[in-house]
Amino acid sequence: LSCTLPAGLVRRVSACAPPWDHAVSPFQLPRGIEVVMADVACGASTPFMVKKVNAWRKSSGEAATLWERYAASSVELQQALQLLCELYRQCVAEGTELQRWMAPLQRLGGEDPSRYATDGGELGARLAAVHAACARLRERLREISAAAQVPIEPPEQTALLDATLKQRGARPLPLY
């Protein structure tokens, strides 16, 4: 997965008032890491959900604290992914991609994610950090969902994601 942003989008985001509090930069997942997306309820009404979440943020005293926790979890995931990408780039630069990346990644694909950090060396530790950050981010999203009364991660999606994560080789990357 790689991302390049059209100039028009960058100009539009830059002109927002108030300005966005996040920087946008190109990103590419390392070799062997993929994102798979699924829809459990024939699509969501994103504009409706955004409107309800924004209304909740304006009217709720707890919203700011919960939103800060969500933002911190998002930053944690971004940092974990950057460290994973950094390790991959290092392996490629050193010519050790097969030994230090692909072979361990293939072996870890057969492991329970709870064993990544202890059995997977440096790559396992980085995958475990991504896994943990995703779990915390999903928890924050479910908290926001409940507080704002918006089905950001409805129970059917939670069940699907949880069942998927029990499969060997599955790593969570929520893309809300």
Side-chain angles (χ1 to χ4, degrees):
L1 174 72
S2 63
C3 175
T4 55
L5 297 173
L9 177 60
V10 172
R11 281 192 304 275
R12 173 160 247 165
V13 168
S14 299
C16 287
W20 283 15
D21 62 351
H22 284 74
V24 178
S25 58
F27 175 79
Q28 182 172 347
L29 287 171
R31 182 176 173 197
I33 305 291
E34 298 175 337
V35 174
V36 178
M37 297 173 61
D39 183 357
V40 296
C42 300
S45 177
T46 302
F48 170 75
M49 291 194 306
V50 169
K51 186 176 181 178
K52 281 196 75 170
V53 169
N54 284 338
W56 164 76
R57 287 182 69 191
K58 289 178 184 175
S59 68
S60 172
E62 72 172 317
T65 300
L66 187 50
W67 201 260
E68 287 173 12
R69 290 174 54 206
Y70 166 74
S73 295
S74 180
V75 168
E76 179 187 1
L77 175 58
Q78 292 170 46
Q79 291 171 342
L81 286 168
Q82 288 300 334
L83 289 173
L84 184 67
C85 292
E86 180 183 295
L87 176 61
Y88 177 72
R89 286 190 299 271
Q90 182 182 26
C91 292
V92 170
E94 294 172 355
T96 59
E97 180 183 5
L98 290 177
Q99 304 91 335
R100 286 185 58 212
W101 185 267
M102 294 307 294
L105 187 63
Q106 184 175 8
R107 184 176 51 76
L108 288 168
E111 293 284 335
D112 184 309
S114 67
R115 298 179 56 123
Y116 287 173
T118 56
D119 295 350
E122 189 174 10
L123 176 57
R126 302 232 178 149
L127 287 171
V130 169
H131 193 273
C134 286
R136 280 186 284 281
L137 187 59
R138 283 185 61 209
E139 179 60 32
R140 298 295 86 77
L141 285 168
R142 286 190 299 271
E143 290 171 0
I144 290 169
S145 183
Q149 299 179 346
V150 178
I152 298 170
E153 185 182 302
E156 301 87 358
Q157 187 174 0
T158 297
L160 177 62
L161 286 167
D162 290 347
T164 300
L165 292 175
K166 291 179 183 172
Q167 304 303 308
R168 305 262 188 230
R171 296 162 198 92
L173 287 175
L175 298 174
Y176 301 108

